[in-house]
Structure formats: structure tokens, C-alpha cells
């Protein structure tokens, strides 16, 4: 008795042969891919960066690099930004045409000189980019007596103050809708925004004083004035106040990556006799 394959017509036999060959070829390619598959490294648990606390200026700096678009497709300018954690002041910045540990190291040296940073006092926090981990940068930090702190890979929440500052600057009306024609234009834009941020922007996390006012230490006097003004207004017309006055207390510490999330302080003060 003839087999089923032999009983098929010539056209059917050719079709069946091509189909069988395709299946065998797919199986062979699959086997090759499995046989050459490299051993994948097991997932590693990344620990949270150590908690940092700034109780005065010049104790903790955060820095990062953000892309600025250029008119050349695929090319960017790079804004380097350094922030004092305690005051939120931008203590150093520059725009370059490349990401480089060498230019970042030069900026760190200039900032330490202008801010009077003494060896062994400052901790510099950043993410895990190559300019942050470059040999030139590490050598500079060691020579200046600066302790390095870095985020976990691909975890932007570990460097929130830099990310928040970038968002504030890029959402300002001064930010152009078109790419920058050259690095000089990008630097002019950054200079204008940094001046506004440091000297005019009343930062909410600074209790609505500017970073420059907090950095120079005049914020406590301003907050005391505001507190007296609010108390006087409440005493004159208590019917307008359904609750207590705003909390204008001085902020004496700023946490970065705390071990536990601190409770948010309510924006009120205890009731006082009027």
C-alpha cells in the first residue's frame, strides 16, 4: 500500500517538502540560538545610597548633567549643574559640547575655591554616569578631600533635587521652543535662568525665600518678619482666619535619601492666645 506522501500529486509533494524544510530550518536556527546563548548574570540587589543630612551650606552638593537640544540632528549641548542641598542655590554651572569627567573636575575645583570649601567637609552626590565615575573626577575628589555619594543605577529618585531643578529651569517661559544654534546661545539662556533661580525664585522648600537669601543667612530674619506680620493680621481680624497662621519656622536641616520618609510638617503652628 502506498504511503500518504507517495499518493499525493506532484504539486502537493513539492509543497509538503518545502513546508517540512522550513520547519526543520526554524528548529535548527532555534537550536543554534540556544547553544550559543551566553550565561546571563543574575540580578543584583542594589542598596539605597546612604542617608545624607545638610545642616548648613557647604556640607552636601548635588550635581547632574542634562541634555540641551542643538540644531544639528543627533547632537546636544550639556548643562552641568551643582546645587547646595541646604540652600538650593546653584553654586556652579556651565554648558559644554560634550560629557567629560575632565571638565566636570575643573568645575568642582572652581566651585570649591569660590565657596571656600575645606577638605573633609563636603559630600558630593551624583548619579552613576561616566563623568561622575571617571578616573579624573575621582582623583579630583580625593585630592580636594571630598566624599563621593552616588545613586543606584537607573534610579532618578536618588538624586531628586537635581532633577527637580532641571524641570524648573526647562519649564520656564524663557526656555526657547527651538533648539540652540550654538553653545554660546545655550550659555546665555542658562545664565539668565540661573540668575532668576538664585535671586528671584522663592523656593517652596525654603519656605518661600530665595536660594541666595538662604545661602547668605538672611532667611531667618525674613521668616521672623513674616511670622510677626501674620500674627498681627490675625489679631486685628480673627474672623478671617479659620485656622492658625502659616508656619514660618526656620528650616534647620535638609535630608537626602533618608532611611525613613519623614512626616511632612503641617503648615500651621500651635494655637496662641490672642
Amino acid at each position: 500500500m502506498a504511503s500518504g506522501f507517495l499518493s499525493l500529486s506532484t504539486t502537493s509533494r513539492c509543497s509538503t517538502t518545502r513546508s517540512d524544510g522550513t520547519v526543520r530550518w526554524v528548529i535548527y536556527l532555534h537550536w543554534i540560538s540556544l547553544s550559543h546563548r551566553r550565561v546571563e548574570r543574575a540580578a543584583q540587589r542594589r542598596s539605597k545610597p546612604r542617608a545624607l543630612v545638610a545642616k548648613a551650606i557647604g556640607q552636601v552638593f548635588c550635581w547632574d548633567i542634562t541634555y540641551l537640544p542643538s540644531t544639528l540632528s543627533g547632537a546636544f549641548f550639556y548643562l552641568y549643574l551643582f546645587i547646595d542641598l541646604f540652600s538650593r542655590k546653584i553654586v556652579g554651572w556651565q554648558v559644554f559640547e560634550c560629557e567629560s569627567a575632565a571638565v566636570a573636575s575643573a568645575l568642582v575645583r572652581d566651585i570649591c575655591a569660590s565657596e571656600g570649601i575645606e577638605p573633609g567637609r563636603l559630600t558630593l552626590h551624583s548619579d552613576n554616569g561616566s563623568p561622575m565615575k571617571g578616573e579624573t573626577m575621582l582623583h579630583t575628589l580625593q585630592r580636594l578631600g571630598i566624599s563621593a555619594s552616588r545613586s543606584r543605577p537607573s534610579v532618578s529618585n536618588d538624586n531628586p533635587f537635581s532633577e527637580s531643578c532641571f524641570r524648573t529651569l526647562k519649564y520656564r517661559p524663557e526656555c526657547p521652543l527651538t533648539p540652540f544654534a550654538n553653545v554660546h546661545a545655550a550659555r546665555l539662556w542658562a545664565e539668565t535662568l540661573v540668575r532668576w533661580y538664585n535671586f528671584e525664585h522663592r523656593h517652596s522648600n525654603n519656605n518661600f525665600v530665595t536660594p541666595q537669601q538662604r545661602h547668605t543667612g538672611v532667611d531667618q530674619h525674613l521668616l521672623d518678619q513674616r511670622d510677626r506680620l501674620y500674627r498681627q493680621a490675625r489679631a486685628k481680624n480673627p474672623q478671617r482666619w479659620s485656622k492658625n497662621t502659616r508656619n514660618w519656622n526656620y528650616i534647620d536641616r535638609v535630608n537626602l535619601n533618608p532611611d525613613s520618609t519623614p512626616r511632612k510638617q503641617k503648615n500651621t503652628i500651635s494655637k496662641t492666645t490672642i
Side-chain angles (χ1 to χ4, degrees):
M1 182 176 181
S3 63
F5 178 82
L6 294 177
S7 62
L8 294 175
S9 63
T10 303
T11 304
S12 298
R13 286 200 302 269
C14 293
S15 176
T16 304
T17 303
R18 287 196 300 269
S19 178
D20 292 343
T22 302
V23 172
R24 286 195 296 269
W25 180 248
V26 171
I27 294 175
Y28 172 74
L29 292 177
H30 180 66
W31 177 81
I32 289 293
S33 65
L34 292 179
S35 62
H36 288 77
R37 178 176 293 177
R38 63 186 175 89
V39 179
E40 299 289 346
R41 185 177 65 176
Q44 297 181 349
R45 182 178 179 83
R46 303 287 184 177
S47 59
K48 184 185 72 65
R50 63 189 178 95
L52 299 174
V53 179
K55 299 181 180 180
I57 62 172
Q59 293 183 348
V60 182
F61 286 174
C62 304
W63 80 284
D64 203 352
I65 302 173
T66 189
Y67 289 13
L68 300 178
S70 71
T71 53
L72 182 61
S73 178
F76 298 91
F77 302 118
Y78 302 91
L79 173 60
Y80 295 62
L81 208 64
F82 292 77
I83 303 173
D84 188 298
L85 178 63
F86 184 78
S87 65
R88 305 299 207 281
K89 180 183 178 181
I90 299 175
V91 293
W93 69 273
Q94 190 51 272
V95 179
F96 295 104
E97 297 178 327
C98 64
E99 287 185 288
S100 169
V103 296
S105 300
L107 272 175
V108 171
R109 291 193 297 268
D110 292 343
I111 293 169
C112 289
S114 63
E115 293 294 320
I117 302 299
E118 300 177 355
R121 182 187 180 190
L122 176 64
T123 299
L124 186 61
H125 181 77
S126 65
D127 60 22
N128 272 274
S130 57
M132 294 76 171
K133 299 188 298 183
E135 184 177 352
T136 305
M137 172 60 79
L138 297 179
H139 176 72
T140 299
L141 297 182
Q142 184 178 10
R143 186 166 59 86
L144 295 175
I146 299 175
S147 176
S149 172
R150 283 193 288 272
S151 308
R152 289 167 290 184
S154 303
V155 182
S156 60
N157 291 344
D158 290 343
N159 196 11
F161 297 97
S162 295
E163 300 293 343
S164 176
C165 183
F166 284 145
R167 186 184 188 280
T168 300
L169 296 179
K170 289 185 175 182
Y171 275 69
R172 288 290 299 168
E174 295 86 349
C175 187
L177 300 178
T178 57
F180 295 100
N182 50 56
V183 69
H184 179 66
R187 287 171 179 170
L188 288 178
W189 166 82
E191 182 180 12
T192 302
L193 267 295
V194 168
R195 188 184 302 113
W196 166 84
Y197 187 89
N198 283 341
F199 293 93
E200 300 180 34
H201 175 49
R202 286 175 169 77
H203 204 296
S204 60
N205 286 332
N206 284 350
N207 224 343
F208 299 97
V209 298
T210 67
Q212 177 66 16
Q213 289 170 338
R214 182 162 169 82
H215 201 76
T216 54
V218 301
D219 58 325
Q220 187 164 11
H221 176 66
L222 293 174
L223 294 174
D224 290 341
Q225 283 184 330
R226 293 176 184 177
D227 184 58
R228 288 194 298 269
L229 179 63
Y230 271 61
R231 289 175 183 271
Q232 292 172 3
R234 187 169 186 261
K236 291 179 179 179
N237 194 353
Q239 291 79 12
R240 295 186 58 187
W241 303 81
S242 60
K243 296 183 180 180
N244 301 305
T245 59
R246 180 184 290 272
N247 180 3
W248 294 113
N249 290 343
Y250 176 75
I251 302 172
D252 59 356
R253 59 190 294 152
V254 181
N255 295 281
L256 175 62
N257 299 317
D259 294 328
S260 59
T261 304
R263 291 186 60 185
K264 186 175 182 181
Q265 188 178 14
K266 292 184 178 180
N267 199 21
T268 58
I269 59 174
S270 57
K271 292 184 178 180
T272 56
T273 303
I274 300 177

